[in-house]
Each structure stands twice: as C-alpha cells, then as structure tokens.
Amino acid sequence: MAADANPSSFSLKEYPGGDRIRTLPEIDFNDKTVFLRVDFNVPLKNGEIRDDTRIRAALPTIKYLQDKGAKILCASHLGRPEGERKPEFSLEPVAQRLGELTGNEVLFSDDCVGSAIAKQARHMKKQQILVLENLRFHKGEEDNSDDFAHRLSELADIYVNDAFGTCHRAHASTSGLPKMMKIKAAGFLLEREIGALSKLIHNPARPLVSILGGSKVSDKVKVIDALMVKSAKILIGGAMAYTFLKALQVQTGKSRVELDKVQLARKLLERSKEANCKIILPVDHVMAESFDTPGQGIISENAHIPENMMALDIGPKSRELFKRELGVAKSLFWNGPLGVFEKPPFDAGTTDIAKCIALLENCYKVCGGGDSVAAIHAAGVESGFTHISTGGGASLEMIEGVQMPGIEALKEGIS
Ligand code: ADP
Ligand code: MG
C-alpha cells in the first residue's frame, strides 16, 4: 500500500487556517481543569444505550488528558430537549457507560452550570472525570447565548473540542465558549476528522471518484455541486438515482422520485458536463411491487423500471459497472446507501460495494453519513476504509466547503 494511502495521522494544516488551531500535545494540562466538548449524543431506548460508538470515539482524548494530569469536565448534548430539563434526555446513563469503558469512577452532575457545579469542579482531583448534564437543558446552548457561554467558561482553564458531529452548529458550547477561552485545542477525534476530510477536499489523490446514494436529491444538491468540481466521476445509486433517471426520460415505475426535483436533476446533469465530471447512473435494478413484498426482488432487464414495480437496490450489472469505476480511483468519497439497506435482500448492492471498496489498494477511502456508516458497520468492513466520519451532517458540510463555526472558533486570535 502506498505510504500516503492509509496515513496513520492526519494534519490540521490541510484545513484553511488550520495552522492556527492547537493540538493536544502543544498544551500543558497538568492540574488544569478542561472543558471537553464531546459528542455523546448516543441513541437511547428506554434509558438503555443502543450504540456507544460515540462514547468510545472520545476515549483517546479522555485517556490522554487523564495521563497528562488534567481534571476533565465532559460536556455534550443529547437529543432535542429544546431548552427544558427532560429526564429522558439525561446524560446519566452515558456517565455510567463512560465509567465502564474507562475503568474509572466517573462523576455526574445534574446540571452543567451554576455555583454547585463550579464548586464540584474546583474540588476535582487530577485525572478525575465529571460528566455534566445535557447542555441543551438550557435554551442558551442552542441560542449561542453569551451569558450561558460565559457561565460555562467559569468552570474550566482550558477548552478542548472533540465533538466533530456538532461543529457545523454555532451553539454556546461549540462557538461562543471557545471564543471566550484563552487556551483551546482540537481533540484527537476532531483533528482526525478535519485532517482526513480536508485532504479529500483540498488535496485529493486523483482521480477522485464519488459515490452518492440515500433517499433524496434535495438533501444532497450542495454536496453534488461541490463534488462535481473535484471528482472525475460521480456514481449515483439509492432513491436519488430515480429522480436523475426520470430527468433522462427513463421509466421509473413506482420508484421513489422527487417530482419537483426532476428539473433540478436535469440542471445538475448539465452542470456536471461543464465541470467535466461524468455522472454514472444504475443500468439495472432490484425491484419489488412494494416495500413490503416478501422474497428476493426481481432484476430489471435494463435501466427502465416497469410501471407496477419500484426499484429498491442497484442491480448486478450496475454493481459491476460501479466496481469497475471504483477500481481506478486513487481517492473516493462515499455518502448514502445504494438501496433500502435496512431491508434485506435490498442491502446486497450496498454491502457488495462496501466490500469492494474495502479491498481496494492504493486508494484514499472516506465515508460520511449516518446511514452509510451504519451500512459499513453492518458489512463489517470498517478496517478497509481510510476514514469513516463520525459526523453525518457535519461531514457533508465539510465536503460542501462550508465554514464550520465550531472549527473556526478554535483558531488562535478569534474572539
Ligand atoms: P446518509 O445517512 O448515509 O447520508 P440518507 O439519509 O441520505 O443517507 O439515506 C438513507 C436512506 O435512503 C435509507 O433509509 C434507505 O432506505 C433510503 N434508500 C436508499 N435507496 C432507496 C430506494 N431505492 N428507495 C427508497 N429509499 C431508499
Ligand atoms: Mg441518514
């Protein structure tokens, strides 16, 4: 494998102005209180954590800070309590899981600001971890209120952001607070996310091939526009493909088409030609009469979908076509499942392509998007990717080239 195909570390310098963001080794944490903004927004069911990936993703930073003698305040949001204290969105189960994962006692406080918390923080010992209650129990968090940010700033000496998944939001804990803090840094997860995605956008090994799927064209217009400028080819699958096929006057049967976006799809196809990027659509499909029809699915003869059928996955010829295109890529970006992957057998196309990508050599392979990442986990091929982003919306905004408030606020001299 080429030296740069699977780099073990990623640099903030790939991000515009990233040299103004400090990394953890540049800071002395000994005996200091650190406000660590993490993304502990885990899926919960009846108070049980269904997937603790996000907690695990913060462990390298937490362990590093402990090793360096810091006192660590972990702060996060969870769900959408909309500025009110709602027990079902409490971070208490997360604090408990963090204790199990670190093998340490983890303290929990039932609020994230106030004199009692400040006192608790002051009395912490080196290496201790305190999880603060859900930031979004306060309206000031999502309003990015100065007053709330100021109250948070009083708790700690140093600010560290390791919550990539929320960096595209200008909230108090991601934007207002770091601007107020003198000493601030990116955590290891954030450093990796920024570095890996920036390299893909600003300095990709070519040719770059992108694969887009998922449910809607409307969700992904800006990403398509951004990627067509960089990519030699964009392979499109998922429900999104049918709106494009419709724009090319291909019969789409009962497949999910956004009728009000057909014109937009036509424009995107035109723009891609000007950008010298080839958009490649499925040439066959796996179909059923409805979402609920049991059985294996019917394979279409060609790109046309009969009137009584809906396409729920890319067909075998499309898979081979996509694999051939991916075989020449030196870097690739994937967002969006290529079929209804939650419902076997319509996961087969997505799984097949995920496995093919995992085996590619000398290729810089990045995936972003909640459902696409779930599909990669389901296929068990995580280790075949250079980088799998933990931020769904955030990774797409990064690809679009949007300035992210949470990253901007970490730059030295920003206040
Ligand atoms: P991501 O979270 O990776 O960005 P999206 O949220 O855009 O992906 O899309 C994922 C959804 O797209 C899944 O729920 C999947 O069932 C749906 N989808 C994919 N292909 C089809 C299809 N052919 N018909 C209907 N829905 C589809
Ligand atoms: Mg999704």
Tab-separated table of all heavy atoms in Angstrom, residues 369-372, ligand 2:
chain	number	residue	atom	x	y	z
A	369	GLY	N	-21.801	10.021	6.623
A	369	GLY	CA	-23.265	9.917	6.518
A	369	GLY	C	-23.767	8.847	7.457
A	369	GLY	O	-23.246	7.736	7.448
A	370	GLY	N	-24.762	9.193	8.273
A	370	GLY	CA	-25.246	8.274	9.314
A	370	GLY	C	-25.572	6.892	8.782
A	370	GLY	O	-25.084	5.874	9.295
A	371	ASP	N	-26.400	6.827	7.738
A	371	ASP	CA	-26.857	5.521	7.255
A	371	ASP	C	-25.761	4.775	6.508
A	371	ASP	O	-25.662	3.554	6.610
A	371	ASP	CB	-28.090	5.695	6.360
A	371	ASP	CG	-29.285	6.167	7.166
A	371	ASP	OD1	-29.710	5.424	8.058
A	371	ASP	OD2	-29.768	7.288	6.925
A	372	SER	N	-24.937	5.502	5.756
A	372	SER	CA	-23.846	4.829	5.031
A	372	SER	C	-22.878	4.184	6.016
A	372	SER	O	-22.413	3.065	5.807
A	372	SER	CB	-23.068	5.800	4.146
A	372	SER	OG	-23.762	6.973	3.930
B	2	MG	MG	-29.478	9.484	7.011
